[in-house]
Structure formats: C-alpha cells, structure tokens
Amino acid sequence: MHAFLELLAGNQLLLLFTVIGLGYLLGSVRLFGFGLGVSAVLFVGIALGAIDPRLALPDTIYVIGLVLFVYAIGLHAGPGFFASFHKRGLGTGVAAVLVLAGGAVVAGLLGRLLGLSAASTAGLFCGALTNTPALAATVETIKNLAPGLPADQVQLLLSSPVVTYGLAYPFGVFGVILWFFVFGRVRKVDFAQEERDRLEAASAEAILSRTFLVTNPAVVGQTTEQALATFGNAGFALSRIKKGESIEIVAQDTVLAAGDQIVAVGNAAAMERARILFGEESPQHIAERRDETSYSNLFVSNKKVVGKTIREVRLLPGFEGSITRLRRGDVEFVPTPDTVLQMGDRILVVSRRADAGRATSLFGDSVRAISETDFLSLSLGIVLGVFLGMVPFPLPRGMTFRLGFAGGPLMTGLVLGRLGRTGRVHWTLPFNANLVLRQIGLVFFLAGIGTKAGFGFGDTFQRGGWGLIAAGAVITTAVSVTALWVGTRTLKLPMSAVMGMVSGIQTQPACLAYANQQTENELPNLWYATVYPASMIAKIILAQILVSTLLMQR
C-alpha cells in the first residue's frame, strides 16, 4: 500500500485517472436503488487526500475541468433557461428560484447558529441541494474574495466548502426520496389515474395530418404565406396540395384556389385553426404517394443551415419542400417558420422525389458531423467567458467581486447557447459532444478539488461532523417539503409532475429515477426539464451571493 501511495504521489497523471477510475467504480455500486454516480469521484479524491497530503492534484486540473463543465452547461441550458421565462415555465421557474432562495436563507441562519465559517455554510448549502456547479462557483468566489491571505489559510478556506458539501450530500439525495414516499402515502396518490389523465391530455397534443377543402373566400387568391400570416403562429405546417388531379408540395408562394385540397400537420387545436382558415375538412384525405413524393427523415448537420430559421431556409436556392416535423432530443413537435434549426435536429422533409437529393445535400444528414466538436467556437467562447470572469465588480468595504472561472464561462455559455449563431460562428455543440465535454470537465473538477480538500476532512468531521450532517438534512427537508407543498397546493399539479419538479429543483437524477420508477409515466421527465435550467443557474448564483455576503459580514 505504501509503495502504491508513493507511486501516486510521484505521478500526477496516474493519480488523476486513479481517482476518476475508482470514483466511477464506487459510483456504480447501488444500495437500495441508490448510487453516488459521478459524485463518487469527489469522495474518492477526499479519501486519498486525507490518507496522504501529497496526493493533491494541481489547481490547473480542477480549473480546466471547471471551465469546460460550466461552459458546456451554459451552452446546453441557454435556450431552455431563456425559454423558461415564457408561458408555463415562468411560474414554475419563479417558484423554483424562490424555494431555493429560501433554502439559502435557512443555510445562512444555520451557519450563524452553529458558528460555521462562510465557506462551510456555502458548502453545506451546495451539498444539501446536491449541486456540484454551485460548489465550483463557491470555491472560485472564495479565491476571488481572499487575496493577500497566507497560502495555508487560503487552502483551508477552499477545502471547507468541499468537506461540508461531502457531509451534506448523501441526505441531499436520500432525504428527497424519503419525502416523496411520505407525501405519496399521506396524499394516497393514484399514479395509474394520473397516467390516464396524462394520456387523455396528450392525445390532444398528438401530431395529426388532416386534409382541408379551400372554401373560405378570404384566402382564395392568396399565397399560403399570406394566408398563414392571419394567425401569426398557426401551430401547423402545410405539406401537400391537390389542384384538380395534380398533387404538389406546398411552397410559400403557392396560390390558394377555391376547391383546392391542402394537407396540414399539427395537434388537434391547430387542426381546428386550419379548418377555420381554409373553410372545411375534406371528406377525403390526400394519401401519401410514395411514387411521386419523398418523405425524408434528415439530420441537420450542415453548418450553412444551423442557426437559421425555417423561413430563411426556404429562401435558400435548391430547396423545394416542406418541413412538417422536427425532433430535438426526445421531443417531437411541428416547427413554425420562426423555429431555429440546431445541429443534430432530426426533421421530416416532404418534397418531390426528384428534389430529395438536393434536400439531403442542403441539410447534411451526416451522423459523423453532428458528433464533431468545433474547437474554434469552443475556444473563442471560453476565452470570452474567462475575460468576463476577470471583470471586477465593486463591493462595500473596498472589496471587489469577480464572476471568476465559474460564473464568467457560465454566463457566456448561456447567452451564446441562446444566440446559437453569430455570423459564420456556430456557438452550440452537438448534443453528444456537449455531453462528453461536460462529463470530462466534471470528473476533472471533482478529482482535483477532492484531493485538495482531503487533508481537512478529518479535522472538520471531529469538530462537529454529525451536527453538519444534521444541518444539511434540515436544509434538504426545508427545500423539499416547501417545493412539494407549492407544487401540490399552489400550482395544483399531479404528484407525478411535482416529483419531477422537485427533482429538477434538486438537480438530482437519482431522485428523478425514483420518481420514474414510482409513477411509470412521462410527467416527471417533462417537469424535471421545465425547472432544471432555472434551478441550476439559481443555485450557482445563490451560492456565490451566500458566501460573498457572509464573508463581508465577518
């Protein structure tokens, strides 16, 4: 054992991947359906750092990991984060942020009661809510707010939140699952009935294809583009039109004539709008004619169309067709002319068979291309994020605050992810590439920060480890119970949806897995995705505010 430790101490590359490998091995072990997952890398790092202080990885490792992780998170969450300010997501997003803000207040009060340092209090908050990016932001904020201190004091400050995070983390997962169980029993939830209600609602959102007869004199003589402008966002796409005995693909300049039969694709509500617009539903549906018409499922992989709206794509030379469906991730929907195409989208293109090849060439349809990473835009985005993180913001008492390596790349990633494209620069990454980048960044950060925090773990636990665990449990319980109450009583959501919402607020996949196992429907996944972006960003910002405020007060 001693020889092995000596080998690790003398070879940092070997140490890094030993921590990552053992962490993944430990994380794969499941007890009563629960596993630590990738977070086990942190605990392995703490354990090795506690055994021998020399087993500490250089700061560069965790800084590189941190920057890659938070920037990729920002790119991925950007569209969803800004979209959450609209419609249904706005109310749940605000509720999630308010609940988390209450959790930060509880953490601050418990920190004062127990006499904890600002760093330990912030780590307790992050661990109770199982959020590693928030921990990363806390560590970075402490570094920015503690200039001029001796190296040993800075190291102690940096290790404190990591240790308390590790102590509070387990109940941050188990506690939420416990409260799911308790609420389900108290409310006597019938998940089977909730699934029946969901399927009934989902049937109204199913994508349908209907044929309508043009009898409305208001649209006769208009192009389809002019007719659709009546509704703004009609919610349906036009596919084929039959004029006499000729069946054509609908284009923007297709002129409507009385007696034309036109095929619309959308949900039930959209079909009703189409009926009102065109006049009446045709008794005969225009069947798909595979001999003349091509129906192509294509991947969007050509950078020339990525970041463009469907309206802009229709104006490109060589495209003669209609995009009637779009699948992004696990969600399929009917796109509007203003829908922006992203790398990796899977679209259904209806065109003449003779034009199918040009459509394939235009959109790319390359699996390899959607798996590649554009390192030019990646590097440029990270550089912009690092520069933003270096900008000093004045604080009271002559102190300054910087977003640092956590906040700067995150904020930049959110904005660039929302923009998608600036001129010829495509900021977004294919989903697979983004996922790999996040995972590499996360394990590098966890391994680096864990080994550095190990030497202070034993002392911190001896000075009040059980009290810290209890304090973390109080924060987890306060946030979970409040969120469950708000979801069921204020938002009046079914328990399946509330469990997904609370899992999203906790940003904890293990809780979501439990919810899916209990409910056996899609509501937990849908509501998890609804609140996850806002919750992730809110935790990172709240952790920085918490540690900054407490440091200035002491």
Side-chain angles (χ1 to χ4, degrees):
M1 182 66 176
H2 177 74
F4 180 63
L5 294 178
E6 289 290 334
L7 180 62
L8 291 179
N11 192 318
Q12 293 178 338
L13 185 63
L14 181 61
L15 173 62
L16 170 63
F17 286 99
T18 297
V19 172
I20 293 173
L22 291 176
Y24 265 87
L25 180 62
L26 177 62
S28 64
V29 177
R30 304 188 69 83
L31 183 63
F32 301 111
F34 165 72
L36 288 172
V38 70
S39 296
V41 175
L42 175 68
F43 294 101
V44 170
I46 290 175
L48 289 178
I51 293 173
D52 191 332
R54 295 177 301 165
L55 301 181
L57 290 164
D59 291 348
T60 307
I61 296 296
Y62 90 77
V63 170
I64 291 175
L66 170 62
V67 170
L68 290 176
F69 179 63
V70 296
Y71 181 69
I73 281 283
L75 287 181
H76 177 70
F81 176 70
F82 289 102
S84 67
F85 297 135
H86 303 286
K87 298 180 181 179
R88 179 183 70 179
L90 178 61
T92 53
V94 170
V97 172
L98 291 177
V99 169
L100 291 170
V105 172
V106 172
L109 294 175
L110 287 172
R112 282 187 173 276
L113 181 64
L114 298 175
L116 301 178
S117 67
S120 295
T121 302
L124 201 66
F125 170 76
C126 299
L129 299 178
T130 65
N131 194 265
T132 306
L135 173 65
T138 299
V139 172
E140 192 61 28
T141 302
I142 293 171
K143 289 180 65 176
N144 293 331
L145 294 177
L149 292 178
D152 57 339
Q153 292 186 28
V154 173
Q155 186 59 41
L156 180 60
L157 279 174
L158 294 178
S159 65
S160 296
V162 181
V163 172
T164 51
Y165 173 94
L167 292 173
Y169 185 95
F171 192 85
V173 179
F174 285 120
V176 176
I177 294 175
L178 172 64
W179 286 111
F180 282 170
F181 176 79
V182 171
F183 261 68
R185 286 300 181 90
V186 171
R187 294 176 59 85
K188 299 179 180 178
V189 178
D190 185 350
F191 290 117
Q193 181 59 47
E194 289 187 352
E195 173 64 358
R196 288 191 290 270
D197 294 340
R198 184 192 72 84
L199 291 175
E200 182 177 345
S203 64
E205 296 299 320
I207 298 178
L208 309 171
S209 178
R210 300 273 174 83
T211 301
F212 297 92
L213 189 64
V214 178
T215 59
N216 182 2
V219 300
V220 172
Q222 291 188 337
T223 65
T224 55
E225 183 178 22
Q226 293 170 332
L228 290 175
T230 306
F231 282 104
N233 180 10
F236 58 83
L238 299 176
S239 174
R240 310 178 297 282
I241 186 169
K242 185 175 182 181
K243 290 178 171 291
E245 296 301 319
S246 174
I247 298 178
E248 304 173 3
I249 304 300
V250 176
Q252 287 180 296
D253 58 355
T254 299
V255 179
L256 298 171
D260 285 350
Q261 291 177 285
I262 191 166
V263 176
V265 180
N267 60 25
M271 293 299 94
E272 179 60 21
R273 289 192 291 271
R275 186 193 64 78
I276 295 172
L277 177 65
F278 296 116
E280 62 183 81
E281 186 172 349
S282 173
Q284 294 182 337
H285 181 59
I286 301 178
E288 297 180 355
R289 299 178 64 176
R290 299 281 177 174
D291 55 333
E292 300 177 5
T293 306
S294 171
Y295 300 85
S296 305
N297 282 294
L298 305 176
F299 282 112
V300 176
S301 62
N302 187 353
K303 292 183 179 180
K304 291 183 179 179
V305 299
V306 171
K308 291 183 178 293
T309 64
I310 291 179
R311 180 181 284 109
E312 292 172 328
V313 171
R314 285 173 177 167
L315 299 177
L316 295 176
F319 179 59
E320 296 290 341
S322 179
I323 302 174
T324 60
R325 303 189 189 202
L326 188 151
R327 187 175 184 86
R328 182 170 294 161
D330 294 328
V331 179
E332 185 177 51
F333 59 94
V334 176
T336 69
D338 295 319
T339 299
V340 177
L341 295 177
Q342 295 183 10
M343 183 72 79
D345 285 348
R346 191 166 178 83
I347 56 177
L348 177 62
V349 178
V350 182
S351 65
R352 299 183 185 91
R353 184 163 294 280
D355 297 327
R358 287 197 291 270
T360 301
S361 177
L362 176 64
F363 294 106
D365 197 32
S366 170
V367 175
R368 176 179 178 180
I370 65 174
S371 302
E372 294 177 343
T373 302
D374 184 347
F375 284 99
L376 174 60
S377 67
L378 174 65
S379 301
L380 182 57
I382 289 177
V383 167
L384 293 174
V386 171
F387 275 132
L388 177 61
M390 294 167 61
V391 176
F393 297 93
L395 294 175
R397 302 182 184 179
M399 302 179 69
T400 58
F401 169 75
R402 291 179 173 83
L403 291 173
F405 291 121
L410 176 69
M411 296 303 175
T412 302
L414 284 171
V415 174
L416 296 181
R418 174 63 179 85
L419 292 175
R421 173 177 182 163
T422 306
R424 293 187 177 184
V425 180
H426 302 271
W427 301 110
T428 56
L429 297 173
F431 178 79
N432 290 342
N434 186 292
L435 183 60
V436 171
L437 197 66
R438 273 184 281 161
Q439 290 175 328
I440 291 175
L442 180 58
V443 295
F444 271 43
F445 169 77
L446 292 176
I449 202 66
T451 56
K452 282 191 166 296
F455 81 95
F457 185 84
D459 291 340
T460 303
F461 189 83
Q462 290 177 2
R463 291 198 302 266
W466 292 111
L468 293 172
I469 293 173
V474 171
I475 299 171
T476 300
T477 298
V479 170
S480 300
V481 172
T482 302
L484 285 165
W485 187 86
V486 169
T488 54
R489 296 301 181 91
T490 304
L491 300 178
K492 300 186 183 305
L493 297 172
M495 189 63 185
S496 299
V498 173
M499 291 169 73
M501 184 187 77
V502 177
S503 299
I505 290 175
Q506 195 73 1
T507 57
Q508 181 48 250
C511 299
L512 177 63
Y514 175 83
N516 284 327
Q517 181 184 12
Q518 295 298 309
T519 62
E520 296 184 348
N521 64 53
E522 288 299 313
L523 283 177
N525 293 326
L526 293 174
W527 285 89
Y528 180 90
T530 299
V531 302
Y532 180 91
S535 299
M536 173 70 75
I537 306 307
K539 288 182 187 181
I540 292 172
I541 296 174
L542 287 170
Q544 291 178 296
I545 293 174
L546 183 62
V547 72
S548 301
T549 303
L550 293 178
L551 280 173
M552 287 188 294
Q553 291 177 351
R554 298 178 183 181

